[in-house]
Amino acid sequence: METYCVFRLLGAGERSAQQASRSRITYHASRVAHAAISVGRGTMIRQLEADAVVVGGGTSGCYFAWRLGQAGLRTIVLEKRRLADVGQEIDIFHMDEVRFPEFGLPLPTNGELIGYYPTGLAWSPDLQVKNEVRYPFYVMHKPAFHQRLYRYVEREGGQVLERAEVVWPLIEGGFLVGVRALHQGAPLEVRGRIVVDASGIDGCLRTRLPADFGVETEPIRERDTLYVCLEFRDDLPPGTPTGLNFYPFHKAFWNPSRGKGAILGIGQPGGYDVAWQKHREWREEYFGNPGRVVKRTQGRTPYRRSPYSLVGNGFMLMGDAAFQTKPFSGEGVTSSFTACQIAAEVAIAALQLGDVSRAALWPYNTRYFRGQGAKFASMFVQLPAAAGLSRREVDFLFHHNIIFSGEDLRQMNLDYETRLTPRDTAAMAARLAWGVASGRFSARSFKRLLDASSAAARIKAHYQRYPEEPGGFDAWVQEAKKLWGEETI
């Protein structure tokens, strides 16, 4: 539904109240907010209403909106970029074959499809071991995939607005009821019974909520960010890799691009300069300077635990804004779809009952954190110990089929965990102990892996006990903070 009203300047009292409830506003947000509210008295503002307002027109936001549309609910998606530009920074990505039927998506065709690869290779640092991972992926054109999702949303009666940048949340009676935005430079107010933040890593809506809204509002820190650098190359000489190739020690990959080209990518903490330096060192060590560079792109992905709660009154959080990327790869499309699917089912039920309170939306928290969220929490505890291993130690693991076996990596991609029997665990521990005794694996690293495994089991069990209702949340958070080593009050 669309209406027009007089756009009212915020009065001094209202501004003071909002500033008191929200102590931190970034310079950019302040500048945009000022642009939105200083248009003058009597200026007309466009108003839109829907069942759900989704901030962010990426894969997560559009998938969620599509699912609601299939249930007969009307959605409005706000995307700050031009729709034609969404996905261009990545350009090409891969998606697990098994995830298409899981999420009700047809397989890619025509301009979307780059290639199909039933297997990939994981390489040891010394390149003497290459483990085949039998787990099929489709390599796809990301902007074309976004366009497909836009069509899905619109086919179900939804609306996708491009160049619509959120300025401020609208909160009434303790409920998030909409957002103020600038749409192609003009003020816009969009209201919905549920408002979703799927805006990406910076969480433009989450970080503007009041501190007492029940959701963590701090922006992501640099140390919790992976910087992804992609280099597209063509005219590659004979002997260079083909297909999907993963180099775990370097956190790097060599994957197919268009035609016979390749994408050389890496994800590293510490900023883009550090990541590009690591990219160059890896590429020069293994491949020299093959072919010619077509283009270079870069982007950020979150690498940290999700906020403890993903819901508030009238509010839901998902995708990169909720830090739902896979800890072992940094990829987040399909893992976010898992969360979006749960969120959509919960939102549909809440909207049909006419209750969008925090309590009514809480099942999204419980179902997500007891399942995928528990697995990801466990991995975030374990992976730093593995990432700290030396080159020689990672070579040892590859040569003795520990952690990096083809079957381990297949299970990790499929189930986000590896299933080890007690016999498997004992055999792995025996091989590691032999590595320590022979001087090929340090005792300190062995202890670090054991300690991380024990801590990961504890935190996974805690997440699997995520409270059924908000009543037990505060106590659960206090225990979670202890397990994460965070400060508690």
Side-chain angles (χ1 to χ4, degrees), residues 85-312:
D85 294 336
V86 179
Q88 295 289 351
E89 70 281 5
I90 299 298
D91 191 15
I92 294 175
F93 79 119
H94 60 270
M95 191 162 157
D96 329 37
E97 181 182 39
V98 298
R99 304 305 178 196
F100 287 92
E102 179 180 345
F103 299 118
L105 292 164
L107 295 174
T109 58
N110 303 326
E112 244 182 54
L113 180 62
I114 304 294
Y116 172 76
Y117 297 87
T119 63
L121 297 174
W123 293 82
S124 61
D126 62 10
L127 301 184
Q128 298 302 304
V129 178
K130 54 179 181 180
N131 288 331
E132 184 179 60
V133 184
R134 298 188 177 186
Y135 187 78
F137 281 101
Y138 282 91
V139 177
M140 300 165 58
H141 185 221
K142 201 162 192 292
F145 184 59
H146 282 281
Q147 294 302 318
R148 189 215 296 203
L149 293 177
Y150 297 146
R151 292 194 297 272
Y152 287 176
V153 173
E154 292 170 350
R155 186 180 67 194
E156 300 298 338
Q159 190 174 2
V160 183
L161 301 181
E162 63 181 350
R163 296 173 57 200
E165 185 168 6
V166 168
V167 172
W168 204 254
L170 294 173
I171 299 175
E172 296 175 359
F175 279 71
L176 183 61
V177 297
V179 295
R180 285 179 177 151
L182 291 175
H183 180 220
Q184 300 182 14
L188 172 69
E189 185 174 286
V190 190
R191 289 177 173 260
R193 293 191 285 163
I194 288 178
V195 183
V196 171
D197 188 350
S199 62
I201 185 172
D202 292 314
C204 75
L205 186 55
R206 175 185 67 82
T207 56
R208 290 174 177 148
L209 292 173
D212 61 356
F213 197 72
V215 177
E216 293 165 71
T217 58
E218 296 79 8
I220 190 168
R221 300 169 298 185
E222 181 176 307
R223 71 185 189 188
D224 296 327
T225 303
L226 283 182
Y227 295 83
V228 181
C229 299
L230 306 177
E231 190 173 74
F232 293 69
R233 287 181 173 252
D234 276 350
D235 300 332
L236 298 168
T240 51
T242 58
L244 303 172
N245 298 270
F246 178 44
Y247 303 83
F249 178 74
H250 297 86
K251 305 178 186 66
F253 59 87
W254 176 301
N255 283 348
S257 181
R258 296 176 180 82
K260 296 182 179 180
I263 305 171
L264 285 67
I266 201 167
Q268 293 282 338
Y272 287 121
D273 289 344
V274 171
W276 278 116
Q277 176 64 26
K278 296 287 188 182
H279 186 286
R280 182 167 57 254
E281 292 171 358
W282 162 70
R283 189 251 304 155
E284 290 178 350
E285 177 186 355
Y286 286 170
F287 315 111
N289 189 25
R292 63 181 177 87
V293 176
V294 177
K295 65 177 179 177
R296 293 185 175 96
T297 63
Q298 60 188 30
R300 298 180 300 144
T301 187
Y303 189 78
R304 56 153 288 173
R305 66 163 179 82
S306 289
Y308 290 127
S309 173
L310 308 175
V311 303

Side-chain angles (χ1 to χ4, degrees), residues 392-411:
R392 185 183 184 191
E393 289 169 333
V394 175
D395 274 328
F396 174 81
L397 296 178
F398 265 94
H399 283 264
H400 293 85
N401 231 24
I402 305 171
I403 300 177
F404 297 110
S405 73
E407 178 57 21
D408 286 341
L409 294 172
R410 187 194 71 83
Q411 287 185 26

Side-chain angles (χ1 to χ4, degrees), residues 429-447:
R431 290 196 296 271
L432 284 170
W434 176 81
V436 172
S438 64
R440 302 179 65 186
F441 203 89
S442 77
R444 178 179 295 180
S445 292
F446 187 21
K447 183 179 186 304

